Amino acid sequence: MAPTDTIGLGTLLRRARRLSAAQTLDLGVRLCDVLHQAEQSGLGSSQLGGRAVLSPDTFEVDRHGALRFRPDRHATDDERPGFRVWAAPEQLSGGAVDVRAWVFSVGAILYEAATGDPLFEADTPPAATALVTGDLDGHLVMTSVRGRLRAVRPGLEVAVRSALDPAPAQRPPSPEALRSLLSDLLAADGLLSDDLGVAASAALDA
């Protein structure tokens, strides 16, 4: 496949500014598929230390919407600027980390895809750690998440908010479980004609 037939997911989101509700759901299903395969292959146990954070730049997409890990980047190290935008609270606090941190990162990516804005500002780490401490700022962050996602598509808010729960035990327990929530929404919308491949092609041709 020629280099111009693929695009980094981070680049796609920056060029598109925001995805449609259908494209966001399709992206979520595809992310969960890739991560489920990685989990089944044992990647989760080797990559999900406290310093491994998934981000849009972890992935690439082709014109058909096929999504995969970028060969040169499987995780964002927490020394990289802006990692907190996609990090789960337990990663920020140094707590125990498992595949539910991936679920949180998918939720953060989908929030950014649907709204055009990151869940947290990269230069304000206290906004991210607020979810760990449960203080008022954390409450306001999640209130904003609910309102903005509900405006994009009823139902999307419920699935993404569940992925972004600050308590790992309250999130879907795996990428596969989150995929089930997202695919049910896709099924309710009927046949997709506006999928991730459409967004990738537009971004590649921009």
Side-chain angles (χ1 to χ4, degrees):
M1 183 173 291
T4 54
D5 286 336
T6 62
I7 186 171
L9 179 58
T11 302
L12 188 162
L13 294 182
R14 288 188 289 271
R15 290 183 184 178
R17 180 55 181 164
R18 64 173 57 89
L19 302 184
S20 69
Q23 290 168 346
T24 300
L25 288 169
D26 190 33
L27 170 60
V29 168
R30 293 173 188 268
L31 283 169
C32 290
D33 282 343
V34 168
L35 294 175
H36 176 63
Q37 293 169 8
E39 182 186 4
Q40 294 298 104
S41 69
L43 179 61
S45 61
S46 62
Q47 288 289 328
L48 268 181
R51 300 171 64 82
V53 179
L54 298 177
S55 78
D57 288 326
T58 308
F59 305 94
E60 63 183 15
V61 189
D62 68 22
R63 290 182 182 273
H64 304 290
L67 184 140
R68 62 187 67 85
F69 280 118
R70 283 179 54 182
D72 59 336
R73 183 177 300 168
H74 277 191
T76 297
D77 187 23
D78 69 5
E79 295 301 320
R80 297 176 58 84
F83 92 102
R84 294 174 180 84
V85 174
W86 305 283
E90 62 269 26
Q91 292 174 300
L92 294 171
S93 65
V97 177
D98 59 23
V99 293
R100 289 171 295 187
W102 279 0
V103 170
F104 186 97
S105 294
V106 171
I109 292 170
L110 295 184
Y111 177 85
E112 183 173 347
T115 67
D117 294 315
L119 181 61
F120 305 120
E121 293 298 331
D123 58 350
T124 55
T129 55
L131 284 180
V132 180
T133 62
D135 63 16
L136 179 62
D137 288 340
H139 173 74
L140 293 176
V141 166
M142 296 314 293
T143 298
S144 174
V145 166
R146 287 193 294 270
R148 295 196 65 184
L149 288 173
R150 191 178 297 120
V152 172
R153 191 230 187 264
L156 178 63
E157 170 256 336
V158 176
V160 174
R161 183 162 51 89
S162 71
L164 293 174
D165 197 294
Q170 300 304 313
R171 295 176 208 146
S174 66
E176 186 178 23
L178 177 59
R179 184 197 192 283
S180 179
L181 295 175
L182 298 169
S183 61
D184 284 349
L185 293 173
L186 273 178
D189 285 348
L191 185 66
L192 269 181
S193 59
D194 183 29
D195 64 7
L196 187 60
V198 173
S201 293
L204 282 163
D205 295 336

